[in-house]
Each structure stands twice: as structure tokens, then as C-alpha cells.
Amino acid sequence: MATTTSHTLPLTKHSQGISLPSPFTLASEAFRAYCKKFFSLLLILGIPLGLFFILFFGVFGMAEEEAARITPGVLFSPAVFLGVVLFGAFVLLLQVWGGVALLYAVTSERPESFWISYGRSFPKIGSYVWILALLYLVSVFGLTLFILPGIYLLVSISFALFVFFDEGLKGVGALHRSFLYVKGNWWGIFFHICFIALLGAAFGTSFRSLFSLFISPSFLPIAMNCMLFLFL
């Protein structure tokens, strides 16, 4: 990869033909990077997550005894329904925006305030969603050709979002560049992704309570950092 002038870490190599770090070294470096940006990442995660819980518990989690006290026809009136739909759409937008801001913060060379990540990542939402849609379509296409082609394609395009944030390539261009970077070291990256997935599963199953709903998402930036260090 060529060195860029973007906000991301300068790139000095790509994965093709390069010896990858051990999984434990990868996890250690990712956790260290996560700790440096902990508070910013926590706030980026917390805003959409908090609004999701407000929607879930405040609207759909209403107890039956409370609903029974509401005048019939008011709870499900057009105005209430429209309010729920609009609020849900707003939360969905923040979920997507939060994902873009999180990726911006993870790939940023230095820690930045959460509002800076949100502000600078906003123009990228459209391209981010488009790449996610392409990732989904390619994945579905691959899986319809049986499992192995789907897995091959998923690993090959796994760097597409990092290509977009670092090099500015969008859509199919980002997927194609990711494919080129993975080519030649597919198995090594595959096993590292499996390690990241197992690490996430172990992290998630360590908390078997409502508390896990708040703790488990914090692994996401660690996984992103793992992928980032594979990409660099």
C-alpha cells in the first residue's frame, strides 16, 4: 500500500507476501491501541447503544400492567405509531453513524474526541452503507455457491472498509483492492480472523447477564483494531 495523507495510520506494507504477526501479538497490540482511545471509543459506542435501550425498554418493553392503564386507542394511535417509527429511524441512523464514527476513531492515528469522530465521519455514511450492501450481496452470492466459495469471498473482501477509510476508494473499488491485498496470504488472514472470532465469542460468553449487553459491544473496537493491524 502506498503511504497516504489521510487521517489514518501511515501504511508501510500490505498483507500480500508479508509474514503476519502471531494471533496473541495481534490481540496484545489491538488491546493496547484500544486502551489509548478508551474513553472516546466508549462514548462513540454509548450514544447509539443508549438510545437503543431507551427505544427497547421505553417503548417495546412497557409492562402489561402499565399498558392497561392507558386509554384504549391512545397507545396505538397514528400519532404514537408515527412517533415510534420516526424515533426508530433516528436510532437506526445513529447506529449506522456510530459504526462509521467508530471505524474513523479506530483508524485515526491519534486519540480524538468522540464529537470529532462523529463530525468528520458523517460525510462517509453513504459510502459506508454502500460498501456494507456490497459486502452483504457478495457474501450471499458466495454462500449460494456453497459454503467454501462464500468463506473465500468473505475473507478476500474483509479489508474493504479499511481501504475506504485509508485510501478513499469506494464501492467495488474498495472490494477489489481488498481482494488484491488478501491475495497471496489468504490462509494466514483466514486463521487470524478465526482467532478474532473465537476471542469475541469467549469475551461475549464471559458475561451471562443483562450486564453483558453493555460489556460485549466493547469488544467491537478491539476486533476492529485486530483487523486494522492485519491490514497495515
Side-chain angles (χ1 to χ4, degrees):
M1 299 180 195
T3 303
T4 69
T5 57
S6 64
H7 82 288
T8 52
L9 295 170
L11 304 182
T12 56
K13 65 181 179 65
H14 58 72
S15 59
Q16 186 175 353
I18 300 296
S19 178
L20 300 175
S22 70
F24 295 102
T25 300
L26 189 69
S28 176
E29 291 296 324
F31 184 74
R32 187 177 295 112
Y34 170 71
C35 290
K36 290 180 180 179
K37 305 175 182 178
F38 175 77
F39 289 107
S40 177
L41 295 173
L42 184 65
L43 289 170
I44 291 172
L45 283 169
I47 291 174
L49 189 62
L51 283 174
F52 169 79
F53 282 113
I54 290 174
L55 177 65
F56 183 80
F57 291 111
V59 178
F60 300 106
M62 183 179 295
E64 293 184 2
E65 57 270 22
E66 292 295 328
R69 289 203 289 255
I70 298 177
T71 303
V74 174
L75 180 62
F76 300 105
S77 67
V80 173
F81 176 76
L82 180 61
V84 171
V85 170
L86 291 177
F87 187 66
F90 178 68
V91 171
L92 179 61
L93 172 63
L94 277 182
Q95 293 285 336
V96 175
W97 192 1
V100 184
L102 184 64
L103 194 54
Y104 180 95
V106 166
T107 57
S108 180
E109 184 176 359
R110 57 185 180 277
E112 293 179 334
S113 301
F114 76 95
W115 62 81
I116 293 178
S117 295
Y118 268 101
R120 293 182 178 175
S121 64
F122 185 78
K124 299 178 180 290
I125 291 179
S127 298
Y128 173 85
V129 172
W130 175 229
I131 291 177
L132 286 183
L134 288 175
L135 289 173
Y136 174 77
L137 291 174
V138 171
S139 302
V140 170
F141 173 75
L143 292 175
T144 58
L145 299 177
F146 302 108
I147 301 298
L148 293 181
I151 295 175
Y152 175 79
L153 288 174
L154 279 172
V155 174
S156 297
I157 60 179
S158 58
F159 292 142
L161 287 173
F162 294 99
V163 169
F164 166 55
F165 270 79
D166 185 81
E167 302 179 24
L169 291 177
K170 303 176 182 179
V172 177
L175 271 64
H176 180 254
R177 185 64 61 88
S178 173
F179 184 88
L180 293 177
Y181 288 158
V182 173
K183 184 180 178 181
N185 216 344
W186 189 93
W187 282 107
I189 294 175
F190 170 74
F191 286 122
H192 279 72
I193 291 177
C194 289
F195 173 79
I196 296 169
L198 290 174
L199 194 63
F203 189 87
T205 55
S206 299
F207 304 93
R208 298 181 179 275
S209 65
L210 180 63
F211 192 58
S212 65
L213 295 176
F214 298 92
I215 296 297
S216 297
S218 63
F219 178 76
L220 183 58
I222 299 177
M224 285 183 170
N225 273 308
C226 287
M227 292 299 296
L228 175 64
F229 286 119
L230 277 178
F231 173 67
L232 294 178

